[in-house]
Amino acid sequence: MKNNFTDLRLHLLQLLCIAFLVPCLLLCQKAPVCASDRLVRVGFFPVANFQEYDQQTNNRRGYAYEYVQALAQYSGWKLEFVRASYDECLKMLSRGEIDFMMYVNNVSTSLPNIRLVSNPYAQNQLCLAAAPSNFSASSKVYAELRGLKVGLLKGDSSNSDFHDYCYVNSLKPTTVFFNTEKELSEAMSKGKIDACLRCKLEIENMRDLCEFVSKHDYFAVRNDDPSLAIELRRALGRLHDTYPAIDSVLYEKYYSKQKNSIALSPEEVRFIKNNGAVKVSYDASWYPLSFRNKEGAFDGAVAGVYRKITALTGLRFTFLPSDTLVDVFACFTSGKTQMMAELPFDFNWAANKNGRVTAPFAHIIVVAAYKKDGASNNVVALPSGFYQEYLSKVVMKDRFTFRHYKTIEDCINAVLNGEAQYVLLNTYQLEYYRGRARYRDLSFKVFTNMDYQLSIAVSKASDPCLFSIINKALTAIGPDQIADILRNTSLTAKSRSVSDILYANTSLAVTVFGLAGILLTLLIGGSIYFIQMKKKNKLIEAATSAKKEFFAAVSHDMRAPLSGVLGYAKLAHETADMREKQQYLDKLQVSGNLLLGLINDTLDFSKLENRKLSLNLQPMRTGELTESVEVVAASLAAARGVSFSITREPRCDCCVEADKLRLQQIFVNLFSNAIKFTQSGGSVGISFAEKDEGASVAYLVVVKDNGIGISREFLPRIYDAYAQEHTHATSRVMGTGLGLAIVKQLVDLMGGTISVESEPGRGTVFTVNLRLRKSQDTAATEKKGAAPAADLSGRAVLLCEDDELNAELARTVLEQWGMKVTLAVNGKDGVDKFAASQEGSFDLILMDRRMPVMDGIEAARQIRTMKRADAVSVPIIAMTGDVDEESVQACLAAGMNSHTPKPIELDKLRETIGKFICG
């Protein structure tokens, strides 16, 4: 088993060298893995959109039906669908007449011989639903819900949840009980009742008035068939590894028409029907959020929100452009327009303009662009438009001197020309201008306390129905869709020129794409190699599970530092300042070294197989950790569009004994999770606090975000391996569910504690407490001057390497050092060339271990047994990807003098060579 993973180590490292050639081919070759050919009977109960059956065509369709078909691709099952009612399917499962069914919750499993499989695959909600033509109640308007007549099914377990909801919200609806679902549906269609209880996935041609209780749905199998449960869990894992967004894709396919439902009152419906287009004034100069396009029409990200409101409500708008703030307000306050397209969410401002502000729909983050070594006159360049006017008059008053220009491009040119020190941009503008070649000399920073929110202003003199319709529409669209509209519309508002895309340095572009190819190659190539090894060696079930967990850990741990590598490579590529370029390259090397450390550590098979991790305690300064973590965190946050901050107070910067790589792994996992589950425009903060306690240092780290948060029900399982909360907010986020399990295991191993506080929709806070023992070896942490490099000029080396790319790289480096290189393409070729040479021709032999025809071990043995003087004395250094202790000892036993692992660290290789041939 250990040799198999040694092979895997070498195979993965070789794949790094051909990252540009194979990713697409490998992706095309990846195929589902079948577990069996057994016949599986599936309970099929008709529910609209979920499981549907057409008797005339004998066709089935629906969310659950397609989900099970997808599982069959990864299990090899032959499916037989048994049609019956939901209750009858449960009874058949209990009696062993079917093998499994979907859409089961823990309330439904009171029958014997039924077990729920693994984690829930979906989260469903109970809701109160009304007929689409019934406008007697509005969504969550409790005053209107109190008078409803609600139909309930006798004996339904959901009835108690509904009664609890009514009690909490002081609702007293009239309840009518029915014996069957058919009777209840007929009463709804004839208007005898106003609403009924439904699960979210069961709503068809109905309006969702309110949602209250969340329920998890599971797969259910027979308790006496554990093998099916194992196959089902395995198929689920493979399906989600290949198609992480399968849940959201199928939901979108079958339930998209239920999204964005809005309940309007009769008065609101009449307002939309009887009134003409609502007049809206807008700022025509606020690109890319609000502007007038070439055709003279309202365009931009805010215009996209209004198009969505019209599609949802039928409300029509007429847009009146104004080029100055004065004109925008004049139209609004004079009654010429009933609405302002956008207004800062500020009740005082709205009151002064005789308006009312809706709920905010966008978060505006303000960024200051400046030129290094530019003006320092404290002048801010502002274009005309109320975004800038609001900042100058309300947010930033008395802080700067303001100078106005016609357009945002004029403002940027003023900064570049030295007329102004700053120009203010929002993040949507930043996305566009930072990618322009002619603006590459600009730098960016965030001013604190300058963010604000946008809302829509409605005149107090207008019909109150207009204000309530706009508010309901914004709520129904939801923050996620609005964020998508704003982001997508602002990014596509103008196209970039070819020069903006191609001005980059070609060599750095190759580096970026190459590193991306490395990740794809490792993941895809490693997966294919795993499949081949499984077929070849017929590994037992436990080994298969360990390998699967191995690849998931590799994927999770490498993403964060790789983002740092790619991010700083891009920054280095874009800047023309050589000092900045060098700084970015230094940070790129830090991230690359962290990535290499994670690869070396996660490829240690024995640690994953035996669930044993040992800490490599070394002297280090506490300040070193925050510096290396900040490099990766800042790049990852910038790529996601999330603001990032780090604090380090108080600090003592003591010398401690700690495993730096494992500490980095803890904090990289925590902040990458925080950034991943925080929407663009949100914020993530990390604080480090140190306290000297004599013999030890108390180390407190807090990672805080304002992302989507974690439900109270899921918090107890947050550190379980593979555990992931299944909600629509998390369905688009890829991950293995191993990150926090790894963090918890490492914190426990270090004798520390980790805690979490979270609230859905408000964010999450992780707190890590560690106590690090002080180190007396302070000298080990001091930077020492490098020893002079060995002079290798004129020295002859026999290089035995079968891989062409590795051979080319090694030959180039050795020749740059002044060495004369003779290349052998395998072990036998190396033995023959050494035997044919005169004694003393070679000062050194570099030997790869794994080569065709003859490997490096056998080649070293044969050279050492030759009857010539230099056969015993010539230094042989192993240069191989086999780095486990067993491989190192095998090389030494074969007569090699030393061992250098791949990927090669050039300074260490030169030092090793110099030690043997220069003394």
Side-chain angles (χ1 to χ4, degrees), residues 524-541:
I524 301 170
S527 299
I528 290 177
Y529 188 77
F530 156 63
I531 295 170
Q532 294 172 343
M533 292 299 297
K534 181 175 182 288
K535 292 179 179 179
K536 188 183 296 184
N537 299 296
K538 298 180 180 178
L539 298 178
I540 60 174
E541 184 73 24

Side-chain angles (χ1 to χ4, degrees), residues 722-775:
Y722 304 108
Q724 292 178 296
E725 187 169 18
H726 293 273
T727 67
H728 292 304
T730 62
S731 63
R732 298 181 181 178
V733 181
M734 297 177 61
T736 62
L738 282 174
L740 291 178
I742 295 171
V743 167
K744 183 67 166 64
Q745 185 179 4
L746 290 176
V747 171
D748 290 346
L749 191 61
M750 295 177 185
T753 61
I754 181 172
S755 61
V756 58
E757 297 178 4
S758 187
E759 183 177 345
R762 300 183 65 87
T764 303
V765 179
F766 280 94
T767 303
V768 177
N769 279 285
L770 298 172
R771 184 162 275 100
L772 306 177
R773 186 174 60 191
K774 282 188 176 180
S775 173

Side-chain angles (χ1 to χ4, degrees), residues 411-633:
C411 294
I412 296 176
N413 290 331
V415 171
L416 295 176
N417 296 334
E419 298 175 17
Q421 184 174 357
Y422 299 109
V423 57
L424 300 183
L425 306 171
N426 59 58
T427 51
Y428 300 102
Q429 293 169 317
L430 179 64
E431 286 291 335
Y432 175 72
Y433 289 110
R434 72 184 302 180
R436 302 293 297 274
R438 63 176 179 268
Y439 300 138
R440 61 179 176 267
D441 290 336
L442 288 176
S443 299
F444 305 93
K445 69 178 181 180
V446 177
F447 285 130
T448 58
N449 302 321
M450 286 178 56
D451 295 0
Y452 66 95
Q453 293 180 306
L454 275 187
S455 61
I456 294 174
V458 180
S459 172
K460 289 183 179 178
S462 64
D463 192 311
C465 286
L466 176 60
F467 183 72
S468 63
I469 291 170
I470 299 298
N471 262 320
K472 286 182 179 181
L474 293 176
T475 301
I477 297 171
D480 290 341
Q481 285 197 61
I482 290 178
D484 288 341
I485 293 170
L486 295 174
R487 181 169 52 252
N488 295 335
T489 309
S490 61
L491 289 178
T492 57
K494 282 188 180 178
S495 59
R496 295 179 181 177
S497 64
V498 175
S499 63
D500 293 332
I501 301 173
L502 300 181
Y503 80 90
N505 182 291
T506 304
S507 61
L508 285 176
V510 171
T511 301
V512 171
F513 288 110
L515 290 170
I518 289 173
L519 178 61
L520 288 174
T521 302
L522 284 172
L523 297 179
I524 301 170
S527 299
I528 290 177
Y529 188 77
F530 156 63
I531 295 170
Q532 294 172 343
M533 292 299 297
K534 181 175 182 288
K535 292 179 179 179
K536 188 183 296 184
N537 299 296
K538 298 180 180 178
L539 298 178
I540 60 174
E541 184 73 24
T544 303
S545 176
K547 284 185 178 182
K548 179 180 176 182
E549 186 172 341
F550 160 75
F551 286 114
V554 168
S555 171
H556 184 279
D557 293 345
M558 288 197 304
R559 287 179 184 273
L562 184 60
S563 294
V565 172
L566 296 176
Y568 283 108
K570 184 175 186 297
L571 290 173
H573 148 78
E574 290 179 345
T575 183
D577 189 318
M578 294 306 298
R579 288 179 300 175
E580 283 190 351
K581 190 184 294 290
Q582 184 59 48
Q583 292 174 358
Y584 292 144
L585 292 175
D586 290 343
K587 292 178 179 180
L588 185 149
Q589 188 171 12
V590 171
S591 295
N593 288 334
L594 177 57
L595 176 62
L596 177 61
L598 290 173
I599 292 175
N600 287 336
D601 214 45
T602 52
L603 288 178
D604 190 341
F605 171 72
S606 62
K607 293 178 182 179
L608 186 61
E609 165 81 0
N610 300 317
R611 306 275 183 175
K612 294 180 179 179
L613 289 171
S614 59
L615 298 177
N616 181 23
L617 301 179
Q618 298 290 336
M620 61 168 281
R621 293 278 178 185
T622 52
E624 296 176 24
L625 182 64
T626 58
E627 294 171 2
S628 60
V629 167
E630 182 179 9
V631 170
V632 182

Side-chain angles (χ1 to χ4, degrees), residues 109-141:
T109 55
S110 57
L111 292 173
N113 198 31
I114 294 179
R115 63 184 295 185
L116 303 182
V117 174
S118 189
N119 297 331
Y121 72 88
Q123 187 177 44
N124 208 346
Q125 285 187 304
L126 282 178
C127 60
L128 196 61
S133 58
N134 183 358
F135 290 100
S136 60
S138 300
S139 177
K140 294 187 178 179
V141 180

Side-chain angles (χ1 to χ4, degrees), residues 792 794-800 811 814 819-824 828-847 863-864 866 868-877 897 913 916-917:
L792 305 179
R795 299 288 187 160
V797 57
L798 175 60
L799 173 63
C800 301
R811 184 171 198 155
L814 294 170
M819 304 188 75
K820 300 176 182 178
V821 181
T822 301
L823 178 63
K828 186 176 185 308
D829 187 26
V831 171
D832 293 343
K833 287 182 176 177
F834 183 82
S837 67
Q838 295 183 358
E839 286 192 14
S841 297
F842 293 111
D843 298 294
L844 175 76
I845 299 175
L846 292 177
M847 184 73 71
I863 290 174
R864 290 304 189 204
M866 290 183 183
R868 47 189 284 179
D870 61 347
V872 178
S873 61
V874 64
I876 304 177
I877 298 176
N897 300 83
I913 294 175
F916 283 102
I917 65 178

Side-chain angles (χ1 to χ4, degrees), residues 65 121 156 184 251 287 367 396 460 484 510 524-525 603 652 658:
Y65 176 73
Y121 72 88
D156 193 329
L184 187 148
Y251 184 88
Y287 176 86
V367 178
M396 298 176 61
K460 289 183 179 178
D484 288 341
V510 171
I524 301 170
L603 288 178
C652 64

